[in-house]
Amino acid sequence: MCSSDLLNKNYIENFFYFTDQINNEVSNQILKFKNISIIYNILDKSENLNEFEKIRIFCRKNNIKLYIKNNYKLAIKAKCDGIFLNHKFKQKLIINYKKPNFKTIVGVHSQQEFYNKTKEVFNNIIISPIFYNKKYSINKILNPIKFNLLSLNWSKRKYALGGINVINLKKIYLTKSYGIGFISLINDPKIKKPACFFNRRAF
């Protein structure tokens, strides 16, 4: 990703990678993706600030946007590009930070969670789980059809998350999604050059 992309008004993030750590192998995988952003996934309400600093330096060096999960104060202090709020975030958030292009992304699983989040000012929506993964029972899996029906009248940019792998990746084309969020996909050795996956779509 080049710096000119970040200055382009038509720049669209296609990939959101959730992680609480980074290493050389993962870094090489990340750089295969174009228009990728990282969401620092704070686990168990703990902050590994040393690991976060590694991620922050990596993002700055490679012109990758960085978001923080559920921690507004850290997002501002670290001068991140925004914040990700999942369904567990209950505090009412008042955005009064003056950094240009600071974004708020929300994660939802249902209509009710979406309408709860409309109390906040947000830019993008990450909807899950679209495919099966161990965190959810089978009856909670959306699949592309339910994904589209669930978010039919939602005007914000939508992204799919949950159980996405190299086998079902192209099924995302069946949705009205601008891209995907993922965790384990980054470790798949079959990934060669996913940078082109969403680039041919006309949004």
Side-chain angles (χ1 to χ4, degrees):
M1 183 184 302
C2 64
S3 58
S4 61
D5 286 330
L6 296 175
L7 299 175
N8 189 334
K9 291 183 179 180
N10 296 320
Y11 173 83
I12 296 175
E13 294 160 291
N14 295 142
F15 304 100
F16 289 98
Y17 172 49
F18 290 75
T19 186
D20 65 325
Q21 58 185 331
I22 200 168
N23 55 42
N24 291 335
E25 184 177 347
V26 170
S27 299
N28 291 334
Q29 289 289 89
I30 291 172
L31 295 177
K32 292 181 181 180
F33 291 81
K34 184 178 181 181
N35 297 0
I36 189 171
S37 298
I38 290 178
I39 296 177
Y40 177 57
N41 190 20
I42 301 174
L43 301 177
D44 302 322
K45 297 183 180 180
S46 63
E47 297 176 13
N48 186 342
L49 295 181
N50 290 333
E51 197 62 42
F52 169 69
E53 185 62 17
K54 286 170 58 179
I55 294 172
R56 192 168 75 94
I57 291 171
F58 172 78
C59 288
R60 181 178 296 177
K61 179 180 177 182
N62 294 284
N63 290 323
I64 294 173
K65 292 185 179 182
L66 176 61
Y67 297 84
I68 303 292
K69 176 183 173 183
N70 291 349
N71 194 322
Y72 183 51
K73 290 182 179 179
L74 181 59
I76 294 175
K77 182 178 180 181
K79 298 181 179 180
C80 294
D81 296 283
I83 185 171
F84 169 75
L85 307 177
N86 70 1
H87 64 288
K88 295 181 180 179
F89 190 89
K90 304 299 182 183
Q91 176 184 350
K92 185 174 181 180
L93 186 66
I94 300 175
I95 299 295
N96 55 9
Y97 187 41
K98 302 302 182 183
K99 179 180 177 180
N101 302 318
F102 185 88
K103 288 184 178 180
T104 300
I105 303 168
V106 299
V108 302
H109 303 85
S110 65
Q111 286 278 4
Q112 182 177 353
E113 288 183 10
F114 169 75
Y115 288 117
N116 288 340
K117 290 300 182 185
T118 57
K119 299 172 185 177
E120 315 295 347
V121 177
F122 62 90
N123 303 91
N124 300 329
I125 309 168
I126 296 180
I127 306 167
S128 67
I130 188 163
F131 300 124
Y132 174 77
N133 63 76
K134 294 179 181 179
K135 285 180 62 177
Y136 303 97
S137 63
I138 292 293
N139 64 348
K140 290 187 177 181
I141 304 307
L142 293 173
N143 69 53
I145 295 176
K146 290 181 181 177
F147 180 100
N148 289 334
L149 290 174
L150 175 68
S151 59
L152 183 63
N153 297 314
W154 298 359
S155 59
K156 302 293 183 178
R157 284 180 181 164
K158 295 162 282 193
Y159 295 82
L161 170 70
I164 298 172
N165 55 45
V166 293
I167 297 173
N168 59 34
L169 185 60
K170 289 188 177 180
K171 289 183 180 180
I172 302 299
Y173 279 123
L174 300 175
T175 72
K176 301 296 184 180
S177 175
Y178 277 79
I180 61 172
F182 58 89
I183 300 174
S184 59
L185 177 66
I186 199 74
N187 297 315
D188 196 316
K190 295 178 183 178
I191 292 177
K192 300 299 180 184
K193 194 176 181 182
C196 298
F197 181 68
F198 286 97
N199 295 345
R200 66 182 176 86
R201 293 190 66 177
F203 295 112

